[in-house]
Amino acid sequence: MIDLHIHTTASDGTWTPEQVVVAAKQGGLDAIAITDHDTFAGYEEAQPVAAREGVPLICGIELSTKLPPATPNGRPKTVHLLGYFLRPPAAPLLEWVKTQQAIRHERNVQLSARLAELGVPVTMAEVRERGRSMAGRPHFASLMVEKGYVATLQEAFDKYLDEKGVAYVDKHDPSLAEGIRQVREAGGIASLAHPIRLNRFGREEEDLIRQMAKMGIHAIEAWHPDHTERHRERYEILAQRYRLAVTGGSDFHGDNKPGVALGTGKGGNVNVPRKVLERLRGLVRA
Ligand code: AMP
Ligand code: FE
Ligand code: ZN
Ligand code: FE
């Protein structure tokens, strides 16, 4: 079994890269990819530990991108794009990732100001202490729980941080097409993270996936803790139909996503066979 979607303390996970690698070894995982949001720092830190422990480690990243709205009055849709086999990260990609980090920082400053306005302040100093340079909404959420503004992380998202929440601040993410282009030019494999969150079903979902295949995406994530068995089967069928590979992982975030285990997801609903990785490696060589 492998796990190709993992977050560490370098972004919004609560386990250090070392803890992740050691747990992967203890859990008997055949390979893992670290896919922190907008940074390679977790991968870099995990690399020597993985070498020492003999855990095959793939360099990954999860990029926040947007799909333009389908209708003139629609909202752009946030799409997470996974990039794999980016070692060593090419200089242009590193530069580009730096601009993504600046965009994230700018959003965090605005979000902090908005929360103060709403009488539930979370300062940038507090956020930085928790999330360092790669702080995200989950760090805001856990601080809001600690300060007693909300009872749970989910309530923090529902009331404040989610796209429908009162404190939501738009992040000026690049387009999905641009993200795919950056990953491809760096020699990597691009995969659509958790397609269920496109929140489109049937024909509409299929149209989006066809569009992404045209943009040059290589794969879609079939195994994810938010996917039922039926979702996974459907994503495998859609992948085949549009000649895409599949990827999968637990989207592990430690305590920031209670109930999701490394390698196995929610109640064992993630179990990605090793052959998935062999196919991806074949694509990199091709
Ligand atoms: P950010 O990249 O800082 O905007 O934060 C995005 C992260 O917040 C995602 O990767 C999820 O881990 C988490 N997240 C986003 N929306 C929700 C939600 N509605 N409920 C729980 N977690 C969420
Ligand atoms: Fe996350
Ligand atoms: Zn994601
Ligand atoms: Fe993720």
Side-chain angles (χ1 to χ4, degrees):
M1 201 166 66
I2 61 174
D3 189 340
L4 300 181
H5 191 160
I6 302 172
H7 296 266
T8 75
T9 45
S11 66
D12 56 356
T14 62
W15 289 19
T16 63
E18 171 155 22
Q19 286 173 319
V20 164
V21 172
V22 169
K25 165 120 184 181
Q26 281 165 357
L29 291 178
D30 296 307
I32 58 170
I34 289 187
T35 54
D36 277 308
H37 295 285
D38 301 331
T39 178
F40 293 108
Y43 165 80
E44 301 289 355
E45 207 179 313
Q47 219 265 323
V49 186
R52 183 186 82 207
E53 301 286 334
V55 176
L57 174 69
I58 292 129
C59 178
I61 196 163
E62 185 169 22
L63 300 164
S64 303
T65 71
K66 284 202 166 118
L67 262 182
T71 57
N73 304 324
R75 270 208 201 188
K77 190 144 204 52
T78 295
V79 177
H80 283 175
L81 181 69
L82 294 161
Y84 293 111
F85 304 108
L86 297 163
R87 164 129 192 107
L93 180 65
L94 281 175
E95 265 314 299
W96 190 73
V97 163
K98 253 196 229 161
T99 64
Q100 303 316 304
Q101 295 174 0
I103 289 169
R104 170 175 292 278
H105 177 75
E106 191 46 46
R107 191 279 315 263
N108 288 348
V109 169
Q110 287 179 31
L111 176 54
S112 172
R114 179 78 185 125
L115 289 169
E117 260 171 36
L118 291 167
V120 284
V122 174
T123 68
M124 280 305 289
E126 290 166 325
V127 169
R128 237 191 315 267
E129 195 189 317
R130 195 60 57 92
R132 292 183 286 174
S133 61
M134 217 50 52
R137 283 180 286 162
H139 298 103
F140 280 89
S142 73
L143 283 159
M144 292 176 85
V145 172
E146 264 171 52
K147 289 162 167 265
Y149 303 151
V150 287
T152 62
L153 296 172
Q154 197 54 57
E155 190 186 342
F157 273 97
D158 294 345
K159 269 200 185 148
Y160 295 102
L161 305 174
D162 194 12
E163 290 188 22
K164 293 182 193 79
V166 288
Y168 183 72
V169 176
D170 190 49
K171 188 144 73 60
H172 301 288
D173 293 322
S175 71
L176 175 63
E178 168 73 5
I180 294 171
R181 197 171 66 77
Q182 291 287 342
V183 170
R184 289 190 78 99
E185 283 183 4
I189 294 291
S191 179
L192 170 67
H194 36 65
I196 190 78
R197 288 206 214 141
L198 291 173
N199 216 10
R200 293 283 188 282
F201 303 94
R203 267 287 302 280
E204 275 188 66
E205 182 185 55
E206 184 163 347
D207 287 347
L208 279 180
I209 288 173
R210 184 189 309 115
Q211 211 180 314
M212 292 177 197
K214 275 201 194 126
M215 289 176 194
I217 208 164
H218 299 92
I220 58 180
E221 192 170 52
W223 289 265
H224 186 276
D226 293 352
H227 294 172
T228 64
E229 185 70 16
R230 279 190 49 210
H231 293 135
R232 183 184 62 75
E233 283 166 8
R234 175 166 161 81
Y235 294 131
E236 295 216 56
I237 290 168
L238 287 175
Q240 257 184 7
R241 195 170 291 161
Y242 297 101
R243 299 181 205 291
L244 300 171
V246 288
T247 66
S250 66
D251 205 356
F252 183 71
H253 281 70
D255 296 339
N256 277 339
K257 278 208 186 146
V260 172
L262 189 71
T264 56
K266 247 184 239 165
N269 67 350
V270 173
N271 48 28
V272 187
R274 209 168 15 178
K275 67 168 196 279
V276 163
L277 186 55
E278 284 150 24
R279 164 119 195 248
L280 296 174
R281 285 197 200 283
L283 287 177
V284 181
R285 281 191 297 266

